[in-house]
């Protein structure tokens, strides 16, 4: 059965696949087109950046091991101008690659070799996270000096923009919705990453770390997001006079 996901304009979702291995690129392209996506192919970092600018894809599938300009360099260039979702393809067992990718701003990663069905599932999960479940954006959330607007997918801190990736935005949204209450890692993985929780997968912790840094939490001092050991995270609700959640 073909995938029914379409962009807001009514066109098919457009994916940019970046891999210098022609055979792998063609296999990925065929698998993604089969389930209903429009697919663009790039064999180098420079070609990927050019296509990203010209074609405005809905998501980028980006191999880390590219010649000349590697996937990390491409991701940095993309993140300097865009929040477009990026799924990294990394070498199996290379934990450093995954950590670096998430630090730079990847929305998810998948180690090679992988089953094309798993790639499709990961892509669907990332794309779902960038869209609302029922078509209604929801109310603006305000907690202290933080304001999150689901309709425009923007976050303000003391009136200043906070640049977040799609995963980081969704993570903060879940924490703000439950401000003052502990949110388990299991729930965050399910709601934000769209997959089952694994105690060996530290992706959600990396994303929390990124959000903390962008909100100005300093090492050892969690002004906003606190860790509850063995359970999850809590967004600290300030005293009532300092702010409230707009629901």
């Amino acid at each position: 059965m073909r995938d029914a996901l379409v962009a807001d304009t009514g066109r098919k979702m457009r994916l940019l696949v970046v891999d210098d291995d022609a055979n792998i690129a063609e296999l990925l392209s065929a698998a993604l087109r089969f389930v209903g996506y429009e697919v663009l192919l790039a064999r180098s970092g420079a070609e990927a950046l050019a296509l990203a600018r010209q074609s405005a894809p809905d998501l980028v599938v980006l191999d880390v091991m590219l010649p000349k300009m590697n996937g990390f360099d491409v991701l940095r260039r993309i993140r300097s101008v865009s929040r477009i979702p990026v799924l990294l393809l990394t070498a199996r067992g290379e934990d450093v690659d995954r950590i670096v990718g998430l630090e730079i701003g990847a929305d998810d990663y998948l180690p090679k070799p992988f089953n094309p069905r798993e790639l499709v599932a990961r892509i669907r999960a990332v794309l779902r996270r960038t869209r609302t479940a029922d078509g209604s954006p929801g109310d603006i959330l305000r907690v202290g000096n933080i304001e999150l607007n689901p309709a425009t997918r923007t976050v303000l801190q003391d009136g200043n923009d906070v640049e977040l990736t799609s995963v980081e935005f969704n993570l903060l949204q879940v924490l703000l919705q439950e401000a003052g209450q502990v949110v388990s890692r299991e729930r965050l993985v399910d709601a934000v990453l769209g997959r089952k929780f694994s105690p060996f997968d530290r992706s959600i912790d990396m994303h929390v770390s990124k959000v903390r840094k962008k909100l100005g939490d300093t090492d050892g001092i969690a002004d906003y997001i606190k860790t509850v050991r063995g359970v999850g995270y809590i967004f600290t609700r300030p005293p009532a006079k300092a702010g409230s959640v707009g629901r």
Side-chain angles (χ1 to χ4, degrees):
M1 182 171 147
R2 291 179 180 272
D3 197 329
L5 280 178
V6 294
D8 294 336
T9 59
R11 64 169 173 78
K12 289 182 179 180
M13 283 285 190
R14 180 180 298 139
L15 309 182
L16 172 58
V17 174
V18 188
D19 198 309
D20 64 315
D21 187 311
N23 292 328
I24 292 177
E26 289 298 337
L27 284 173
L28 293 181
S29 176
L32 295 173
R33 288 189 176 115
F34 179 77
V35 295
Y37 293 111
E38 177 185 345
V39 181
L40 304 173
L41 289 179
R43 303 282 169 76
S44 68
E47 186 180 3
L49 292 172
L51 281 173
R53 286 192 300 267
Q54 297 166 6
S55 305
D58 297 290
L59 180 143
V60 179
V61 178
L62 176 62
D63 186 26
V64 170
M65 300 300 291
L66 295 173
K68 296 183 180 179
M69 184 189 301
N70 66 33
F72 295 140
D73 293 330
V74 175
L75 178 56
R76 288 189 184 95
R77 295 279 293 276
I78 289 175
R79 280 290 166 263
S80 69
V81 296
S82 173
R83 301 181 191 179
I84 181 175
V86 176
L87 189 154
L88 280 182
L89 302 180
T90 68
R92 184 171 297 278
E94 292 297 329
D95 291 337
V96 172
D97 283 355
R98 301 170 201 176
I99 293 171
V100 171
L102 293 173
E103 282 284 351
I104 296 172
D107 293 86
D108 203 353
Y109 66 84
L110 189 62
K112 288 183 173 182
F114 53 81
N115 187 313
R117 291 184 179 180
E118 184 176 2
L119 175 64
V120 170
R122 291 291 186 92
I123 289 172
R124 285 171 170 163
V126 172
L127 289 174
R128 278 198 301 269
R129 296 197 301 263
T130 63
R131 311 170 81 210
T132 57
D134 59 3
S136 58
D139 296 329
I140 293 175
L141 299 171
R142 297 185 182 89
V143 180
N145 64 340
I146 304 297
E147 178 179 301
L148 180 147
N149 189 330
T152 58
R153 293 188 68 81
T154 55
V155 173
L156 299 178
Q157 181 182 36
D158 290 323
N160 299 311
D161 286 324
V162 179
E163 294 289 332
L164 300 177
T165 66
S166 61
V167 169
E168 293 164 1
F169 181 93
N170 294 335
L171 170 62
L172 182 59
Q173 184 174 11
V174 173
L175 291 174
L176 288 178
Q177 287 170 337
E178 303 295 335
Q181 301 181 57
V182 178
V183 182
S184 70
R185 293 178 70 245
E186 289 89 338
R187 183 182 168 197
L188 286 173
V189 169
D190 178 65
V192 178
L193 300 182
R195 59 176 181 257
K196 291 183 179 180
F197 172 73
S198 167
F200 303 105
D201 186 351
R202 311 305 295 181
S203 300
I204 199 68
D205 305 302
M206 293 298 301
H207 289 302
V208 169
S209 176
K210 289 287 290 182
V211 174
R212 278 173 164 161
K213 289 179 182 178
K214 292 182 179 182
L215 293 180
D217 278 0
T218 54
D219 291 339
I221 303 176
D223 297 321
Y224 294 102
I225 303 173
K226 292 185 177 180
T227 301
V228 180
R229 288 192 179 280
V231 182
Y233 298 95
I234 180 172
F235 193 96
T236 304
R237 181 188 290 277
K241 64 178 182 180
S244 59
V245 181
R247 301 297 295 267

